[in-house]
Amino acid sequence: MSEQKLVLSDPATGKQCELPVRKGTHGPAVADIGSLYREHAMFTYDPGFVSTASCRSDITYIDGNQGILLYRGYPIEQLAEKSNFIEVAYLLLYGELPTQTQLDTFNHSIRYHTMIHESLRDFFRGFHYDAHPMAMLTGVVGSLSAFYNAAQDTRNKDDQEIFAHRMIAKIPTIAACAYKHSIGQPFVYPRNDLDYASNLLHMLFAVPAETYEVDPVAAQALDMLFILHADHEQNASTSTVRLAGSSGTNPYAAISAGVACLWGPAHGGANEAVLNMLEQIGDVKQIPQYIAKAKDKNDAFRLMGFGHRVYKNYDPRATVIRGMCHKILQRLGKENDPLFELALELEQIALNDEYFKEKKLYPNVDFYSGIIYKALGLPTNMFTVMFAIARTVGWVAHWIEMTNDPEQRIGRPRQIYTGAAQRDYLDPAQRD
Ligand SMILES: CC(C)(COP(=O)(O)OP(=O)(O)OC[C@H]1O[C@@H](n2cnc3c(N)ncnc32)[C@H](O)[C@@H]1OP(=O)(O)O)[C@@H](O)C(=O)NCCC(=O)NCCS
């Protein structure tokens, strides 16, 4: 705690209150308002938590003005270029890059836990064939809590670790089952000889009738997308996992709350919305018309994949994906993809438009990821599911950090009450 203080005065009473100011490793100073209600009978009001830090965290740092994203201090660009998803998962969970032995042990444990209980596979049969895969993912991830409940002590370090490994290992298997169910194909068992991304591609695209060869280019692209999506500090779904977990609920149930939150189009659902939007625009000639719609306050249309609560500069993940998009489409022989050309043109027009410049609306991570998922052969309704697989690592890391934080209490925001003033109940006959 620093000596710096924020002094507030109440104009009505003239009473002053001094709030201690905290400082993290990076980032702005943070006024600690924890004592405000207790000592001064006052709340703060901050819809959408625009200026509110809900916790301390050692995991991820974002500087939205500079366009910087660090996992445990390492720049995302370096990790995307030099690391792989499993190593990044280890880093996010344990705080340091692993030694070779630690990496081998972790890798083995994740591969060892990939299967799901046969009864859990049966759950999918209860869903209608056209259920959205995110709906199935939400339900089935929540159902894990029915399989791993009995001995779960949320503060026990061994239980925490086995939860983390199981969740990261099983989420691709569950995601692939959701996909297979939606297209009416048999479920494919995981192959533990394959790396994380290759195994997922195998479970998504293999069929019992034929031999399936994993395309290493596709696996590499997926692995890199997973690195970029693995964590993003206190975003809506991660905050949801923390809030749900703060009650001490079963951690698998807390993760399913995060999946549900991610689904929304203002969050992880934006990658699906971007593809739908590009298909709706259809042609470069139509772009000006859609830009005008996005700027019209009376029109609900927004340019999906643009803008971010934190980034008021280019999203560094979008920069990496944009470069990868060119490379991957070329290597998959899809470099003339009309949607990618449309996306590039849309980006240029929006970046040079006064409205977007003034509001600092830059392309975000979802703007390009959908194009890569499409090139890999995934239908649009699976895009957010892919995001959920990667973000599971972040959710789990934050759940563990939250659970072990000595300052952790149940999350319980307050409100400004604007309803009716206190009044007395009247019998129906007296209500005219
Ligand atoms: C991400 C997002 C939800 C951030 O929301 P936010 O921090 O609450 O910001 P706001 O919605 O208040 O936006 C600020 C201003 O920019 C405008 N704006 C924001 N994103 C916009 C977009 N994609 N297209 C057009 N206008 C946009 C808003 O209308 C608002 O204008 P105003 O100040 O005149 O009212 C928002 O930018 C958005 O809806 N983007 C599209 C969805 C998306 O890509 N989500 C993925 C995020 S990773």
Side-chain angles (χ1 to χ4, degrees), residues 266 270 297 302-307 309 355 359 361 364 366:
K297 285 281 159 242
R302 276 194 167 194
L303 216 50
M304 300 314 287
F306 266 76
R309 170 60 61 79
Y355 173 94
K359 295 189 188 303
L361 300 170
N364 59 47
D366 298 308

Side-chain angles (χ1 to χ4, degrees), residues 7-175:
V7 182
L8 300 178
S9 60
D10 181 342
T13 61
K15 205 175 149 193
Q16 284 203 335
C17 78
E18 288 191 347
L19 300 172
V21 173
R22 292 191 185 217
K23 194 83 188 74
T25 315
H26 297 298
V30 179
D32 183 343
I33 57 165
S35 63
L36 197 59
Y37 179 62
R38 198 176 55 242
E39 291 178 17
H40 301 277
M42 208 183 268
F43 295 148
T44 55
Y45 179 57
D46 184 17
F49 307 112
V50 177
S51 305
T52 298
S54 60
C55 62
R56 296 176 304 172
S57 182
D58 296 347
I59 302 173
T60 290
Y61 173 71
I62 305 172
D63 183 329
N65 293 322
Q66 304 285 330
I68 292 171
L69 171 60
L70 311 176
Y71 289 169
R72 300 284 190 184
Y74 295 101
I76 193 67
E77 296 85 352
Q78 289 182 25
L79 295 171
E81 188 192 335
K82 299 179 181 166
S83 187
N84 58 67
F85 180 65
I86 284 296
E87 186 177 65
V88 166
Y90 184 99
L91 174 69
L92 288 168
L93 283 181
Y94 296 99
E96 296 295 337
L97 285 169
T99 62
Q100 190 59 51
T101 313
Q102 288 168 329
L103 183 60
D104 292 345
T105 309
F106 181 63
N107 207 356
H108 176 266
S109 179
I110 298 301
R111 291 184 190 213
Y112 181 77
H113 287 101
T114 49
M115 288 207 300
I116 54 173
H117 196 288
E118 286 294 305
S119 307
L120 197 66
R121 287 161 61 96
D122 291 342
F123 280 38
F124 286 95
R125 300 188 209 291
F127 291 108
H128 203 241
Y129 73 94
D130 62 354
H132 195 290
M134 280 300 281
M136 292 190 257
L137 198 72
T138 309
V140 177
V141 168
S143 307
L144 285 172
S145 57
F147 290 79
Y148 305 110
N149 190 22
Q152 192 74 53
D153 172 358
T154 56
R155 300 213 175 223
N156 178 297
K157 294 278 190 304
D158 292 338
D159 282 351
Q160 289 181 352
E161 188 166 51
I162 192 74
F163 152 69
H165 291 203
R166 275 192 190 128
M167 200 56 250
I168 294 166
K170 291 182 199 306
I171 188 89
T173 314
I174 296 171

Side-chain angles (χ1 to χ4, degrees), residues 256-335:
S256 106
V259 178
C261 179
L262 185 76
W263 190 3
H267 192 7
N271 54 16
E272 182 177 342
V274 168
L275 247 279
N276 293 336
M277 175 190 74
L278 291 175
E279 273 160 8
Q280 191 186 346
I281 297 176
D283 192 284
V284 176
K285 286 197 219 83
Q286 303 262 58
I287 293 177
Q289 181 194 330
Y290 280 89
I291 296 270
K293 272 164 75 67
K295 295 193 300 193
D296 181 356
K297 285 281 159 242
N298 298 318
D299 192 323
F301 177 81
R302 276 194 167 194
L303 216 50
M304 300 314 287
F306 266 76
H308 196 275
R309 170 60 61 79
V310 181
Y311 292 118
K312 301 302 169 198
N313 197 329
Y314 221 102
D315 178 342
R317 302 166 302 169
T319 314
V320 176
I321 296 188
R322 188 177 188 266
M324 186 172 72
C325 216
H326 283 285
K327 214 167 89 184
I328 296 298
L329 291 177
Q330 202 174 26
R331 279 164 73 176
L332 293 173
K334 300 184 181 178
E335 64 269 44

